[in-house]
Amino acid sequence: MCGITGYVGTEDGIPIVQETLRNLEYRGYDSAGVAVNDGDVAVYKQAGQVEDLTVPATSAASCAIGHTRWSTHGEPTDDNAHPHTDCSGRIAVVHNGIIDNYDDLRAELSDRHTFTSDTDTEVVPHLLEEELTPDATLQEAFERVLERLEGSYALAATARGHEGIVGARQDSPLVVGHADGGHFLASDVPAFVEYTRDVTYLEDGDVVHLTDDDVSVFSDGRPVQRDRRTVEWDAQAAEKGGYDHYMLKEIHEQPQALRQALSGRIDELGGDVELDLSLPPEFVESVEEIQIVACGTSYHASLYAKELLERYADVRVTTSIASEYEFSGGRDPWSTLVVAVTQSGETADTLGALRRANAAGARTLAVTNTVGSTVTRETDETVYIRAGPEIGVAATKTFASQVVTLTLLSVWFGRRRGSLDSETAAEVLSGLQRVPGAVQQVLDQDARVRDVAREYADEEAFFFVGRDLGRPVALEGALKLKEISYDHAEGFAAGELKHGPLALVTPETAVIAVLTDGGAPEKTLKAVKEVDSRGASVLGVSSADDAEKYLDTMLSVPEVGVAEPVVANVYLQLFAYHVADLKDRAIDKPRNLAKSVTVE
Ligand code: F6R
């Protein structure tokens, strides 16, 4: 995730903002930058690490903003690093999020302004340049710019001849720190927690103006009061945004990650999706098979996508564990699209499968989280899942973002192949837009899931079952639990249980059933009854209230249509996390595993 920081006070701003940026390094980034305002504005930015940033050792500027960038639009280069400036260099802006309508704004501005980056952010300083007339205050001009922006943002700006920093929040966090002799602004408290624990969390729609002796917050142009709170973290917890582990932090980041995956891609009225793909229309219409290659969690996301692609795009889809593709892949390349799904974009098995497909002459597409990764250089097309960096070894938020992005891809294909009408597409898309909120509802049950984990933690083995779209989630739930708790956990298609695995079910084992819409709950319930009569404890993640009577424990899933199993999966992530935490496992770095598997 990009990180924003700002400081205005009585001290030299450069070393302070550099320190705040170092404190945000845990979020992951590929570029960094600082702008200082000592009456005039100067910007220092480059691709690479905060410690490599070339800035003056000291300055007379007691106002500065800073940024760590995780690329979503444009490669990680010096020009694309933040802060971005207007044509005259008197305004500097840092941004976290995505400006959905940047294409339109850039087209409108480009005859009067010179753009120097490929970012969506750069429209903001140029808009501000137009609004910051001699009789306007920075805040007034900034508020007029915000009216033009669509999308998600945390923004901070400073300008020559204007005091302090202005900031705004919409669907992207921003917090103010109140210190002796100055104020801070940041995407996350750890940025400035060593200077102050006295904070104000801004709300969506808030605009803030910080000077060294004042913080004013506005909503709809009127001053508002926001509560001040004291955070009680130690330095180690602060590094992880207040969470005990990166995995838990990343599980909780899912609503924001999902909003980013959807941002600017949905035309709900037209029932369509915009993905910036240049696949020739005749290829899209005539392609006979989509072969998906992936590993681990990405493979489970691919199994989910297979069902949706077949359903919406009316095309044959095969999913291969990437390391197995070498034995079967590469057939009929002229009528095949090969899709590589990989969070890191660096997994050797997936790249190996892709190279086989390329050698056979197939058209290829990457679905990845990592701008500039190897997979993006070796495929014809790329769709980003925009989840932000994932540091915990166990993939969590990237699974949800992969599924949602692949659902968009399925609708994209379906609309262009004439197999999905606009009404049905609009319904699917409207369900998708409810997913971030539904995921938040599940996250709000975190304490209850910990209680449930406590009840189940000592079971001898865990069997996860689901059908249809619930099956990949059952497989993923089992993978998550086994890799971080080291418990024996297996996932099955619920119908397969009676063909063998049922022999393992005893009163000392637990069965976890995915009973949501999109997961044929009435059929999965048959398996639940089978295991119930063998004495196993059954935990259900379910959107069907009538399932409760067959379950020992039920966790309720909000109703969102075909994406319900993805929402249910958030319970399974929390369950795995808490079981592992109760057993004091090395959650972020499970034994024998690596985040990016770059060997075959
Ligand atoms: C499990 C996990 C792994 C990865 C797999 C593929 O939690 O993280 O199974 O999903 O190694 O990695 P990517 O998606 O980077 O290709």
Side-chain angles (χ1 to χ4, degrees):
M1 295 275 170
C2 299
I4 286 181
T5 69
Y7 167 76
V8 50
T10 49
E11 309 282 321
D12 180 351
I14 287 191
I16 292 182
V17 162
Q18 266 185 304
E19 183 59 22
T20 58
L21 288 179
R22 273 193 287 274
N23 293 341
L24 285 186
E25 283 186 317
Y26 71 89
R27 294 163 69 96
Y29 67 103
D30 50 48
S31 324
V34 170
V36 291
N37 185 354
D38 59 1
D40 205 352
V41 168
V43 171
Y44 311 92
K45 59 177 190 168
Q46 62 199 50
Q49 303 298 298
V50 174
E51 67 187 34
D52 299 330
L53 193 61
T54 314
V55 288
T58 58
S59 78
S62 54
C63 172
I65 55 176
H67 192 264
T68 48
R69 174 172 188 252
W70 165 268
S71 311
T72 55
H73 287 77
E75 301 276 314
T77 60
D78 293 352
D79 284 342
N80 287 338
H82 298 214
H84 290 286
T85 53
D86 64 324
C87 300
S88 65
R90 70 182 167 126
I91 296 164
V93 173
V94 290
H95 168 222
N96 182 10
I98 296 174
I99 309 291
D100 288 348
N101 58 336
Y102 87 100
D103 259 344
D104 294 345
L105 292 171
R106 190 167 171 141
E108 174 194 321
L109 292 163
S110 53
D111 58 339
R112 324 188 274 288
H113 295 262
T114 307
F115 281 80
T116 56
S117 78
D118 305 320
T119 64
D120 52 336
T121 305
E122 202 188 338
V123 296
V124 180
H126 292 296
L127 285 170
L128 200 48
E129 182 176 14
E130 301 213 335
E131 297 295 346
L132 197 54
T133 52
D135 54 347
T137 66
L138 180 57
Q139 184 198 326
E140 287 162 351
F142 188 59
E143 284 184 348
R144 283 200 286 274
V145 170
L146 298 177
E147 286 167 19
R148 305 285 321 275
L149 305 182
E150 290 167 19
S152 64
Y153 48 77
L155 281 164
T158 191
R160 180 197 303 158
H162 292 264
E163 198 189 353
I165 299 168
V166 285
R169 172 200 160 131
Q170 185 62 49
D171 286 335
S172 195
L174 200 58
V175 56
V176 173
H178 309 266
D180 289 340
H183 295 106
F184 291 85
L185 188 66
S187 323
D188 214 348
V189 175
F192 55 67
V193 77
E194 69 189 84
Y195 299 97
T196 178
R197 290 165 184 252
D198 177 7
V199 309
T200 300
Y201 291 95
L202 298 178
E203 295 180 12
D204 279 345
D206 283 355
V207 172
V208 65
H209 186 198
L210 277 78
T211 60
D212 55 358
D213 59 358
D214 186 48
V215 174
S216 311
V217 185
F218 303 85
S219 180
D220 289 328
R222 283 188 294 279
V224 285
Q225 288 296 327
R226 299 284 177 232
D227 292 345
R228 279 168 74 158
R229 298 188 208 173
T230 305
V231 294
E232 307 286 354
W233 302 340
D234 61 16
Q236 210 195 357
E239 226 183 52
K240 300 177 183 104
Y243 292 98
D244 287 345
H245 297 93
Y246 285 112
M247 181 182 176
L248 189 59
K249 169 179 164 283
E250 285 155 6
I251 290 173
H252 279 267
E253 280 173 354
Q254 285 176 107
Q256 198 195 339
L258 291 170
R259 279 191 200 102
Q260 289 186 179
L262 296 170
S263 182
R265 289 174 161 173
I266 289 184
D267 167 11
E268 215 182 310
L269 270 185
D272 204 359
V273 164
E274 181 44 66
L275 284 179
D276 221 3
L277 286 173
S278 48
L279 290 170
E282 56 284 2
F283 175 77
V284 173
E285 281 160 26
S286 65
V287 65
E288 286 172 16
E289 182 172 333
I290 296 179
Q291 298 171 356
I292 311 183
V293 293
C295 307
T297 292
S298 297
Y299 176 70
H300 297 152
S302 308
L303 291 175
Y304 205 109
K306 168 187 160 70
E307 302 302 323
L308 297 181
L309 273 164
E310 289 189 335
R311 202 174 293 178
Y312 302 147
D314 191 22
V315 60
R316 185 170 64 242
V317 182
T318 56
T319 42
S320 299
I321 292 173
S323 54
E324 290 293 300
Y325 189 78
E326 65 177 292
F327 307 116
S328 61
R331 64 181 178 269
D332 302 340
W334 52 91
S335 57
T336 299
L337 175 70
V338 175
V339 179
V341 179
T342 163
Q343 184 283 128
S344 60
E346 303 293 349
T347 300
D349 289 331
T350 308
L351 292 173
L354 183 63
R355 284 170 192 152
R356 181 179 167 104
N358 276 330
R363 212 177 270 274
T364 54
L365 184 149
V367 176
T368 186
N369 195 29
T370 316
V371 175
S373 57
T374 305
V375 79
T376 65
R377 294 195 295 275
E378 300 197 9
T379 45
D380 300 312
E381 305 269 347
T382 300
V383 178
Y384 290 107
I385 64 168
R386 301 174 178 168
E390 192 174 64
I391 295 164
V393 163
T396 52
K397 62 175 177 174
T398 53
F399 174 78
S401 299
Q402 283 171 335
V403 171
V404 160
T405 307
L406 288 162
T407 309
L408 292 176
L409 186 69
S410 310
V411 172
W412 187 91
F413 266 101
R415 295 295 292 130
R416 275 145 199 82
R417 286 169 64 82
S419 49
L420 184 69
D421 62 64
S422 58
E423 289 76 24
T424 315
E427 220 171 279
V428 176
L429 297 173
S430 132
L432 274 189
Q433 281 177 311
R434 296 202 305 280
V435 172
V439 167
Q440 188 57 57
Q441 278 175 258
V442 170
L443 293 171
D444 293 343
Q445 299 297 312
D446 195 3
R448 165 140 159 74
V449 183
R450 188 162 183 95
D451 290 341
V452 172
R454 205 171 277 119
E455 274 172 49
Y456 283 78
D458 294 328
E459 299 285 348
E460 273 176 11
F462 298 82
F463 304 115
F464 290 71
V465 295
R467 295 193 68 166
D468 195 7
L469 296 172
R471 182 173 79 98
V473 166
L475 301 182
E476 174 59 10
L479 176 61
K480 223 69 329 173
L481 183 63
K482 79 175 78 154
E483 71 179 319
I484 61 164
S485 77
Y486 315 151
D487 280 304
H488 180 205
E490 295 299 329
F492 304 106
E496 276 293 287
L497 210 53
K498 58 185 177 294
H499 296 291
L502 196 55
L504 298 172
V505 172
T506 70
E508 281 71 49
T509 60
V511 172
I512 292 112
V514 182
L515 296 159
T516 61
D517 218 17
E522 62 300 333
K523 290 186 185 280
T524 304
L525 266 182
K526 289 187 190 164
V528 166
K529 289 174 195 163
E530 284 160 13
V531 298
D532 188 40
S533 60
R534 269 97 187 155
S537 308
V538 189
L539 164 62
V541 283
S542 174
S543 51
D545 288 340
D546 55 354
E548 196 161 6
K549 56 178 175 285
Y550 304 107
L551 304 170
D552 294 292
T553 314
M554 178 164 130
L555 294 166
S556 286
V557 178
E559 292 177 23
V560 287
V562 290
E564 258 173 55
V566 187
V567 179
N569 185 55
V570 177
Y571 275 127
L572 304 188
Q573 294 170 342
L574 289 172
F575 180 76
Y577 172 81
H578 288 300
V579 169
D581 193 39
L582 290 164
K583 296 181 176 182
D584 211 16
R585 304 294 192 225
I587 290 181
D588 284 331
K589 289 191 175 143
R591 68 184 176 208
N592 308 336
L593 299 179
K595 182 68 186 160
S596 193
V597 187
T598 52
V599 289
E600 279 193 15

